[in-house]
Amino acid sequence: MKQLLRLGALVGLLLASMARAELTIEITQGVDKPTPIAVAPFGWQQPQAIPEDIAAIVEADLHRSGLFEPMARQNMLSFPSASSEVYFRDWRQAAQEYLLIGNVEPQAGDRYQISFELFDILKEQRLIGETLSGSRRQLRRMAHTIADKVYEKLTGIPGAFSTQIVYVTAQRFSQDDYRYQLQVADADGANPRQILDSREPILSPSWSRDGKKLAYVSFETGRPAIYIQNLATGAREKVTGFRGLNGAPAWSPDGRTLALTLSKDGNPEIYTLDIATRKLTRITKHYGIDTEPTWSADGRSIIFTSNRGGQPQIYQKELATGWIERLTFDGDYNAKAHLTQDGRHLVMVHRERGVFNIAVQDLKTGRLDVLSQTSLDESPSIAPNGSMVIYATKQAGKEVLAVVSLDGQVKYKLPSKQGNVREPSWSPYLQ
């Protein structure tokens, strides 16, 4: 058995090296008047090529947000890397409102130091001046962190560029030969890393709130089972494998409990599982189908999909009192709900006139807005800053990932270079 496991691991590594499912970015829509910003190439005083173009990564992040219009490098009159080299008049004449400059310096032990400054061109003021340090492999992460800081300074909202996404790729090699891979990548689709390789489907990946573990459903034994996997070590364990349905795991805010769907007692119901003790607690008991649980931000209630009213709609149950409330009424189908961290907005799959789209409902006002205009949209997941939603959809017959802002103004797609992509989940802020 151990030899088989070792062989399987080697095959998985071989496949990972042969086919990295890196995602590309296709921006399809932004705001009407994005803010002009110049991101000058960061200074690098070494004879060899810079390991990563930090400025290009920051520029791409800000552009992808849809809120900023970075200046093309070929139109820049100069490439300042220190405040003494900044001539505000030149940048005003180029109609820029903000300027980001920086410098990269190598340190001992394959480490690097990045200093950067953000300027308000019109006020001629420095808004940010900071220094980051890290290893060569952390350069992209530091670039995303710089983009986060710029984004927060200019919008008042924390950035989410240094987060990650997890998703499932599916490739068909022959009539009976499918390959499913669980992948983790940066939020911009770069640096994909294979977490699991299987000939059987993988579903519903879910991040722990500290970003260190994933829970997911795997059919590798021929029937669904829920696994937890440590991202740093690769260690994994099966936590449920009951007869029937084992699905839709969702981590509690404190990371101690999973909410999940089981049909071990006949009907699909919501349960919670204490990860340390393996104690199961049944949360719902109804003749209808209850599934797809998610937690409120405070962990005091569980939101789930149920057809107890005749058609799939979204409900909320308070764990302390047992009170159940229906949350959605617009449309004939609402499912796969996720809450923003502030608890105000509910993102879901919404069906109206037979078309499945991603929608958001303001729980304070009750207003529902459809965010996507494609069809067969599914599996929404919210960025930790609540600004963007990633989901799965189809483009020219191929399964791809797409992202839309919570106000519907900004949109872009993340198609894979190889195979179909599905089941996305956005990470929390990473430590």
Side-chain angles (χ1 to χ4, degrees):
M1 183 64 179
K2 290 182 178 179
Q3 290 178 336
L4 288 175
L5 290 174
R6 292 194 191 100
L7 179 59
L10 288 172
V11 171
L13 289 172
L14 177 61
L15 286 167
S17 65
M18 293 170 58
R20 298 183 69 199
E22 188 160 353
L23 306 177
T24 56
I25 296 174
E26 298 175 1
I27 298 175
T28 57
Q29 182 177 312
V31 296
D32 291 336
K33 295 182 179 180
T35 300
I37 185 170
V39 183
F42 280 27
W44 173 254
Q45 308 302 323
Q46 303 299 316
Q48 69 272 26
I50 187 170
E52 290 281 0
D53 189 336
I54 303 299
I57 297 170
V58 175
E59 179 183 306
D61 284 344
L62 296 176
H63 187 212
R64 192 171 70 255
S65 76
L67 302 180
F68 299 93
E69 184 58 49
M71 184 181 187
R73 286 186 181 181
Q74 61 266 30
N75 295 333
M76 295 181 184
L77 297 178
S78 62
F79 296 147
S81 59
S83 57
S84 60
E85 301 171 348
V86 175
Y87 297 96
F88 291 103
R89 182 183 62 183
D90 292 346
W91 299 101
R92 280 198 299 270
Q93 289 180 346
Q96 298 303 299
E97 295 185 17
Y98 299 97
L99 169 66
L100 179 70
I101 66 172
N103 192 63
V104 183
E105 295 182 5
Q107 305 288 303
D110 200 32
R111 294 183 64 81
Y112 296 84
Q113 179 176 286
I114 304 176
S115 57
F116 63 98
E117 298 175 279
L118 176 68
F119 296 93
D120 185 318
I121 298 299
L122 301 181
K123 295 180 180 179
E124 299 190 6
Q125 293 180 351
R126 189 176 80 160
L127 302 178
I128 299 177
E130 294 188 28
T131 298
L132 304 175
S133 62
S135 66
R136 183 188 184 100
R137 63 189 300 269
Q138 293 173 319
L139 283 172
R140 285 192 66 90
R141 176 74 180 275
M142 288 191 286
H144 292 314
T145 299
I146 294 171
D148 284 341
K149 291 177 179 293
V150 171
Y151 183 90
E152 182 171 11
K153 186 66 179 180
L154 299 184
T155 68
I157 302 171
F161 304 115
S162 56
T163 57
Q164 295 183 320
I165 55 175
V166 62
Y167 51 90
V168 176
T169 59
Q171 289 181 278
R172 181 179 179 180
F173 297 99
S174 66
Q175 180 72 23
D176 301 314
D177 186 10
Y178 285 84
R179 180 69 61 182
Y180 301 89
Q181 294 180 342
L182 187 64
Q183 306 267 0
V184 170
D186 295 347
D188 60 357
N191 294 329
R193 177 164 62 100
Q194 179 184 298
I195 303 301
L196 178 66
D197 177 81
S198 176
R199 293 184 179 276
E200 302 298 334
I202 305 167
L203 302 174
S204 306
S206 173
W207 292 87
S208 61
R209 296 304 172 96
D210 61 5
K212 296 180 179 180
K213 296 179 180 179
L214 289 174
Y216 53 83
V217 178
S218 173
F219 283 74
E220 63 197 68
T221 62
R223 63 184 188 185
I226 295 175
Y227 292 79
I228 291 177
Q229 185 161 344
N230 186 300
L231 290 174
T233 66
R236 62 195 293 259
E237 58 178 329
K238 184 167 72 173
V239 294
T240 72
F242 299 105
R243 292 185 61 183
L245 180 64
N246 296 260
W251 294 84
S252 62
D254 62 11
R256 299 176 181 176
T257 308
L258 282 180
L260 38 85
T261 303
L262 302 174
S263 63
K264 67 184 189 66
D265 297 322
N267 205 48
E269 303 284 358
I270 306 299
Y271 292 76
T272 58
L273 174 70
D274 185 297
I275 296 172
T277 65
R278 294 294 194 270
K279 179 183 177 182
L280 273 176
T281 302
R282 185 167 174 172
I283 302 301
T284 63
K285 189 175 183 179
H286 196 275
Y287 61 82
I289 295 174
D290 297 331
T291 186
E292 298 169 349
T294 190
W295 296 79
S296 61
D298 59 13
R300 295 179 180 177
S301 60
I302 288 179
I303 294 167
F304 61 98
T305 304
S306 178
N307 67 351
R308 60 182 60 199
Q311 295 176 323
Q313 296 291 342
I314 297 168
Y315 295 77
Q316 181 171 4
K317 179 171 183 176
E318 294 181 0
L319 297 179
T321 66
W323 172 258
I324 295 180
E325 177 185 9
R326 179 172 166 177
L327 300 180
T328 57
F329 294 89
D330 293 335
D332 56 13
Y333 177 103
N334 291 289
K336 296 186 178 180
H338 288 274
L339 269 178
T340 52
Q341 283 297 310
D342 60 8
R344 170 142 186 188
H345 293 95
L346 189 71
V347 174
M348 70 200 82
V349 176
H350 170 80
R351 185 177 69 190
E352 190 80 44
R353 300 184 185 91
V355 178
F356 290 90
N357 291 126
I358 304 302
V360 58
Q361 180 173 316
D362 187 322
L363 294 180
K364 185 175 181 179
T365 65
R367 173 173 172 167
L368 185 140
D369 293 303
V370 175
L371 301 179
S372 62
Q373 278 75 48
T374 45
S375 59
L376 299 176
D377 302 330
E378 59 182 19
S379 304
S381 179
I382 307 172
N385 64 357
S387 67
M388 310 292 283
V389 179
I390 191 169
Y391 61 98
T393 187
K394 285 194 174 184
Q395 177 180 274
K398 187 177 180 180
E399 295 175 75
V400 302
L401 303 185
V403 178
V404 60
S405 60
L406 205 63
D407 59 10
Q409 294 190 64
V410 179
K411 297 176 182 178
Y412 61 89
K413 289 186 172 66
L414 288 164
S416 172
K417 295 178 181 178
Q418 297 180 350
N420 293 305
V421 201
R422 59 184 68 155
E423 302 285 328
S425 181
W426 213 311
S427 81
Y429 288 114
L430 302 172
Q431 300 174 358

